[in-house]
Amino acid sequence: MALLEVIGLTKKFVGVVANDRISFEIEKGEIVGLIGPNGAGKTTLFNCIVGYHKPDQGTVKFNGKPITGFKPFQTNRAGIGRTFQIMSISGSLSVSENVMVGSFCRVSDSRTARQEAAEILNLMELEQEAQARMNELPIAAQKRVGLAMALATKPKILMLDEVAAGLNPRETEEMVALLQKIHAAKDLTLFVTEHVMEVVMPISQRIIVLDGGQKIAEGKPRDIANDERVIRAYLGEKYVEGRKH
Amino acid sequence: MPMHALKDALSFGDLPASERIGFAIFIAFCLVFPWISKGSFAQAVMIQFLIFCLYGLGWNLIGGYGGQVALGQAKNVGMSAYTVALFMVWWDVPFWFSTPIGVIIATVESFILGYFLLRLKGHYFAIATICVSLVWQQLFVNWDLIGGARGVELPLKETPNFVYMQFTSPIYYHYFAFVLVMGAILFMNWFRKSRLGYQLRAISANEEVAESLGINIHWVKVKAYCITGVFAGMGGAFYAVYYNYIDPFSVMHLELSIMIALMTMIGGAGSMWGPIIGAMILIPMDRYLGAWLGGSGIVGVDFMIYAFMVMVIAAYEPRGIWGIIEKARRRR
Amino acid sequence: METLLSTTISGLLMGMLFALVALGLAIIFGVMDIVNFAHGEFLMVGMYAAFLTATGLSMEPLLTLPVSAVICFILGMGSYYLLVRYLLKGPMLAQLLGTFGLMIFIRYLAMAIFGPDYKTLEQGLLIRPSINWGPVMISYPKLGAAVISVTAFGAVYWLINRTRLGMALKATALDVEAAGYMGINTEKMRGLAWGLGGATVGIAGALLTNFYYVFPTVGLLFVMIAFATVALGGFGSIKGAFIAGLIIGLIWDFGGTYVGPEYKFALIYLTYFLVIILRPQGLFGW
């Protein structure tokens, strides 16, 4: 049985079909990438799964149980963690306290939560930043904190929204290494939405491609990279021409 | 678990030494105040300060930590105060029996209202709470059964009486109010380290992110709003027996709600000591300004001063006086 | 039957004035997503401006409209440049508090200057007995106020939808950054929105002075009605504000006639309460 099943998911906004009968499965332990040009419907699909949107049609199953129409906190409690592209957190909480908030999803005792947060910060190499405020940190560190917060809720699958957006090449590389590390350490399933090919290609075992709200391809990174339909949709005609030379 | 909670409530060890010293001075001051103060006016101001500490500490939960600007504490104060007063007038029920009922009524009202209103965000929530307050206020002013605009006077017992909380000396009221405030402070000390406290602060920082961390934001807000109602209810019950007279303008009025909110914001919303600092500045200023200007017929200068402070604070340091203190401390 | 007809007409006339009171709130919210708590106080300032000019110079009250409009325009613009501009940089809590503080400040300033007394105008063009039209009674001042109110409303609607200035305002409302790139001085537009919001409510205040008491806390009563109106119509929707104004006007007069005048405010707040629970986006909101 697949960990996450999306069956015939359709989401319409006024005049636009953002997701058109999309179906796919993600097995436990996999790393799956979701790519597609701007406006392909990636974010909508993401939001339909985690519960920010209610799909018009179709079913989302997690661990075999339907979770369609769940609220975001319910999908999280079911075991779906997510990160945000940009996370603006104001207020008085420090980095380690923010991670504690994630822990409180599963534990109610603040001592346990504090301990768990410390462990996760360790894993994420964020000990130095533990007492800082979110808005004092550089983008790369903020992204790692976001990951740590989501991890603290002990998800079975982690959905990453544009995890490399705004990072420079070196930081991107570090992020890829970190993702591989937590994938191994936490026995996680990863579902990665991404623009940056340097992230998706090396880590994904399988890639799903969206264009115009429809799923146009699914397969191994190497096959996807060579699929002309995908290249045309995603990278444009010029790239296809370039590759022929 | 309960043991841990108690330990959290009693332990101030995680605070900087300066804060602990400040707190100790506060306690010592409150304890000796009745013996060093000269005159009943100062004593009355002190008790008023303690009542407002209680209101402010409660409001700080939803308004400060939760970031939801609720402007209707007065109705909870009023409901509880009216319960205590009317139970005594109608059925001669003592304070200690009517207070739990009053607090429960105030809390249930908070729950029902919070359940519906806390789906609204930001400005809309604030406006809606004002609007509900005004409905209650009009109802209480016009409702003859409960005294209408004339208010309710509590019948006096012949001798000082503990079960009715009637004493001849204000000292007793002072210490009782002090115990309530200490209870509230210990509760807040537990709260800020508790799951609820962290979740509430996460909500006020960013609701979308909080939701993604498994927090049922609506429910957490409703819980916090109810606790705020409990605090207000306690304050209201005490108010009724302390003054022996209540009317819709003193315990049900929107102005009271506004005062509580402004006071907490000036002191520092969302911080442990903010409400106390706010009350410490505003209440004496209010009473002494009132006494000083009372004769000249100028009303509301106090409110103008608060309003001006609030505008300046909102524009430059939304976290109030406590925010300024923390900023200075971090720079050092 | 006569009462019913009289009440309906009176309610609709009052509603047109309510719509004008709410218009400024809708403009300001539409342009920058901020609720002006001090809106009712602007109205109060407009009322005092009209009242004092009319009594002080023994002038026809209707001629004080421009005075109120100008004073409230300056008040609105001044509020933006001196306060709101800084609030917009802060978190939402600060925005809320800031205009809230402004409200309290203006209210108690008025209290200190004018005292808490209720004042009314004694004479003026509109201040005369009701028109008896068969068995139906129409309040003369309300009729006049409603006509001017609708005219003012129409003028603002035209300004926003048919002029270059209006286009710039709308562009600022849609996307500040993009509007800035297109060479619109967005800071000026926002200040202007506050000025315009102030001016419209100033006019409403001057009209209201013809048949309502003038006192320092009058603003709270009417600002709550304005909030109800804007919430009912959908925040930021100008058309919505007008239709919602009429509905609220009807509730006001029917409530006053059939339930009791002391409860008419409570009834309006109750309506608002129900609307915002059942349909937070309002009738014409999105």
Side-chain angles (χ1 to χ4, degrees):
Chain A
M1 186 180 62
L3 184 65
L4 180 72
E5 288 173 80
V6 174
I7 306 152
L9 190 141
T10 300
K11 177 72 192 174
K12 292 175 194 148
F13 294 111
V14 185
V16 193
V17 184
N19 287 159
D20 190 4
R21 286 159 292 159
I22 293 175
S23 301
F24 63 88
E25 292 183 355
I26 296 177
E27 299 294 333
K28 191 168 182 306
E30 263 192 308
I31 301 180
V32 179
L34 177 68
I35 63 171
N38 271 332
K42 300 188 300 281
T43 306
T44 307
L45 179 60
F46 219 79
N47 284 336
C48 282
I49 295 171
V50 297
Y52 284 104
H53 297 327
K54 219 177 190 131
D56 294 316
Q57 276 159 41
T59 317
V60 183
K61 283 187 185 173
F62 186 69
N63 252 339
K65 293 189 198 85
I67 58 162
T68 329
F70 270 34
K71 298 218 168 76
F73 79 90
Q74 293 169 315
T75 58
N76 178 268
R77 288 185 187 175
I80 301 178
R82 71 159 303 180
T83 65
F84 291 82
Q85 207 179 124
I86 306 157
M87 195 152 55
S88 63
I89 292 187
S90 54
S92 55
L93 292 174
S94 69
V95 164
S96 74
E97 286 173 326
N98 270 308
V99 180
M100 272 176 80
V101 171
S103 283
F104 276 125
C105 176
R106 309 273 170 216
V107 302
S108 55
D109 175 54
S110 48
R111 277 159 196 75
T112 323
R114 191 166 293 125
Q115 211 171 349
E116 282 184 7
E119 281 163 22
I120 289 169
L121 287 174
N122 236 331
L123 179 76
M124 304 298 289
E125 293 152 28
L126 281 167
E127 303 96 325
Q128 303 295 320
E129 288 85 357
Q131 294 315 315
R133 312 274 141 163
M134 206 57 166
N135 51 13
E136 299 165 352
L137 296 176
I139 297 274
Q142 281 188 22
K143 297 233 164 197
R144 272 187 292 153
V145 176
L147 260 176
M149 287 162 69
L151 269 184
T153 68
K154 303 195 191 75
K156 298 190 182 76
I157 185 169
L158 192 53
M159 312 216 336
L160 305 159
D161 193 8
E162 305 276 347
V163 77
L167 300 187
N168 66 32
R170 195 176 58 82
E171 290 165 340
T172 305
E173 236 170 76
E174 285 171 1
M175 181 55 87
V176 169
L178 192 63
L179 288 179
Q180 281 166 334
K181 180 171 148 192
I182 60 174
H183 177 246
K186 293 272 172 188
D187 190 26
L188 263 180
T189 310
L190 298 181
F191 187 33
V192 189
T193 315
E194 198 52 79
H195 264 111
V196 184
M197 287 299 109
E198 284 81 359
V199 177
V200 188
M201 286 301 168
I203 65 169
S204 301
Q205 293 153 358
R206 198 151 54 87
I207 285 176
I208 295 164
V209 189
L210 294 189
D211 186 28
Q214 290 176 324
K215 185 171 96 173
I216 59 165
E218 183 178 344
K220 291 207 161 59
R222 189 182 317 164
D223 301 336
I224 292 291
N226 293 320
D227 186 324
E228 277 215 1
R229 217 155 58 101
V230 174
I231 296 164
R232 189 160 288 135
Y234 189 69
L235 299 169
E237 298 289 342
K238 267 193 187 142
Y239 189 80
V240 182
E241 294 306 312
R243 278 169 68 88
K244 284 181 179 156
H245 300 299
Chain B
M1 239 331 258
M3 275 312 287
H4 277 319
L6 200 61
K7 227 168 109 187
D8 274 347
L10 293 173
S11 149
F12 290 84
D14 61 324
L15 296 178
S18 56
E19 281 180 43
R20 276 181 285 165
I21 293 168
F23 184 46
I25 293 173
F26 169 77
I27 293 175
F29 180 70
C30 288
L31 282 177
V32 301
F33 186 82
W35 311 102
I36 55 167
S37 81
K38 297 270 180 290
S40 55
F41 187 72
Q43 181 63 70
V45 172
M46 183 69 188
I47 292 176
Q48 191 122 51
F49 159 73
L50 290 171
I51 296 177
F52 271 86
C53 278
L54 196 61
Y55 295 158
L57 285 163
W59 188 85
N60 198 24
L61 254 150
I62 191 74
Y65 289 103
Q68 313 296 313
V69 181
L71 293 165
Q73 278 324 281
K75 63 190 165 44
N76 300 55
V77 172
M79 277 176 197
S80 179
Y82 266 92
T83 309
V84 169
L86 291 172
F87 271 40
M88 183 161 170
V89 172
W90 290 342
W91 303 302
D92 204 30
V93 178
F95 171 83
W96 296 100
F97 292 98
S98 51
T99 296
I101 300 170
V103 172
I104 288 170
I105 291 175
T107 313
V108 168
E109 197 265 356
S110 293
F111 176 79
I112 296 170
L113 206 64
Y115 186 83
F116 288 110
L117 290 189
L118 284 162
R119 294 184 194 286
L120 305 172
K121 304 226 185 297
H123 293 106
Y124 306 104
F125 175 72
I127 295 168
T129 54
I130 295 181
C131 154
V132 173
S133 298
L134 288 173
V135 173
W136 278 116
Q137 188 182 312
Q138 287 222 319
L139 196 68
F140 270 62
V141 170
N142 292 308
W143 194 358
D144 285 332
L145 179 69
I146 60 167
R150 278 174 293 112
V152 185
E153 208 167 325
L154 279 76
L156 285 181
K157 299 282 156 196
E158 275 154 23
T159 48
N161 192 325
F162 178 71
V163 285
Y164 289 97
M165 283 298 283
Q166 291 191 352
F167 306 110
T168 41
S169 162
I171 291 182
Y172 298 100
Y173 294 108
H174 171 88
Y175 283 115
F176 185 60
F178 175 63
V179 168
L180 286 179
V181 170
M182 280 307 292
I185 291 175
L186 293 183
F187 176 84
M188 292 309 290
N189 193 37
W190 166 80
F191 166 84
R192 71 186 169 91
K193 297 176 234 171
S194 72
R195 182 183 191 209
L196 184 66
Y198 281 112
Q199 292 189 330
L200 205 55
R201 280 154 82 189
I203 288 171
S204 102
N206 185 331
E207 292 202 358
E208 206 185 3
V209 172
E211 227 178 345
S212 84
L213 298 176
I215 298 172
N216 184 347
I217 48 176
H218 181 236
W219 187 236
V220 169
K221 284 187 204 167
V222 171
K223 273 198 261 185
Y225 195 60
C226 286
I227 300 174
T228 302
V230 173
F231 277 57
M234 299 286 295
F238 176 77
Y239 187 100
V241 288
Y242 173 56
Y243 286 98
N244 276 316
Y245 169 75
I246 53 169
D247 64 22
F249 307 100
S250 59
V251 291
M252 205 66 199
H253 209 267
L254 182 65
E255 255 169 42
L256 175 62
S257 304
I258 291 175
M259 177 105 172
I260 296 169
L262 292 192
M263 182 189 88
T264 313
M265 288 157 184
I266 290 172
S271 71
M272 176 90 179
W273 309 117
I276 298 174
I277 295 174
M280 212 180 276
I281 294 169
L282 289 200
I283 300 302
M285 190 173 92
D286 179 48
R287 297 307 121 160
Y288 285 101
L289 258 184
W292 184 49
L293 295 170
S296 67
I298 301 172
V299 279
V301 176
D302 42 355
F303 265 103
M304 276 160 66
I305 297 173
Y306 313 153
F308 188 73
M309 285 165 81
V310 164
M311 282 192 282
V312 172
I313 280 174
Y316 295 104
E317 180 49 69
R319 282 160 59 223
I321 292 172
W322 189 253
I324 296 169
I325 294 175
E326 276 212 318
K327 233 186 215 166
R329 207 156 62 181
R330 280 170 88 81
R331 206 170 293 142
R332 202 148 37 90
Chain C
M1 188 58 209
E2 286 86 40
T3 332
L4 190 73
L5 199 58
S6 298
T7 312
T8 310
I9 293 174
S10 167
L12 287 175
L13 294 180
M14 201 61 201
M16 290 174 195
L17 192 62
F18 285 157
L20 188 63
V21 176
L23 176 62
L25 207 55
I27 295 173
I28 292 171
F29 187 84
V31 171
M32 66 193 91
D33 277 14
I34 186 169
V35 173
N36 179 17
F37 272 104
H39 194 70
E41 272 46 46
F42 288 13
L43 179 85
M44 181 264 292
V45 170
M47 287 177 82
Y48 269 105
F51 177 81
L52 293 175
T53 321
T55 51
L57 304 177
S58 322
M59 226 165 98
E60 161 52 38
L62 280 182
L63 294 179
T64 64
L65 281 185
V67 179
S68 289
V70 169
I71 288 180
C72 289
F73 182 88
I74 296 168
L75 182 62
M77 203 108 167
S79 303
Y80 179 76
Y81 282 106
L82 293 177
L83 176 69
V84 179
R85 198 151 57 114
Y86 302 100
L87 298 180
L88 288 173
K89 289 178 197 146
M92 231 223 24
L93 184 72
Q95 297 176 9
L96 241 157
L97 297 192
T99 64
F100 195 74
L102 185 63
M103 161 178 115
I104 306 277
F105 187 77
I106 300 176
R107 178 186 305 168
Y108 284 95
L109 188 64
M111 192 90 98
I113 297 174
F114 306 120
D117 305 337
Y118 286 45
K119 294 179 177 123
T120 44
L121 279 178
E122 302 287 314
Q123 47 188 313
L125 206 58
L126 289 180
I127 301 165
R128 57 173 71 181
S130 303
I131 309 166
N132 286 315
W133 185 37
V136 179
M137 255 181 22
I138 300 173
S139 150
Y140 199 77
K142 278 191 191 173
L143 182 65
V147 170
I148 297 170
S149 166
V150 171
T151 314
F153 208 100
V156 171
Y157 193 79
W158 173 81
L159 178 77
I160 289 183
N161 288 301
R162 296 278 182 277
T163 63
R164 277 182 68 89
L165 188 70
M167 293 296 158
L169 269 174
K170 276 211 244 175
T172 312
L174 279 176
D175 188 337
V176 185
E177 240 173 87
Y181 290 139
M182 285 158 67
I184 295 170
N185 184 345
T186 54
E187 189 74 350
K188 206 171 108 193
M189 285 303 137
R190 289 174 151 185
L192 202 66
W194 275 78
L196 205 57
T200 55
V201 81
I203 293 173
L207 290 173
L208 200 57
T209 315
N210 284 293
F211 59 94
Y212 204 84
Y213 306 103
V214 185
F215 55 100
T217 52
V218 65
L220 183 66
L221 300 179
F222 283 95
V223 81
M224 291 313 297
I225 295 174
F227 283 147
T229 310
V230 183
L232 193 64
F235 272 87
S237 162
I238 288 176
K239 229 182 287 175
F242 188 73
I243 293 165
L246 296 184
I247 296 173
I248 298 276
L250 288 174
I251 297 171
W252 163 279
D253 265 298
F254 273 90
T257 309
Y258 293 99
V259 184
E262 68 268 39
Y263 289 113
K264 58 185 176 186
F265 284 107
L267 271 176
I268 289 173
Y269 307 149
L270 219 55
T271 312
Y272 164 76
F273 184 66
L274 292 176
V275 169
I276 204 153
I277 284 174
L278 298 174
R279 199 177 152 79
Q281 73 273 42
L283 297 175
F284 298 88
W286 356 256

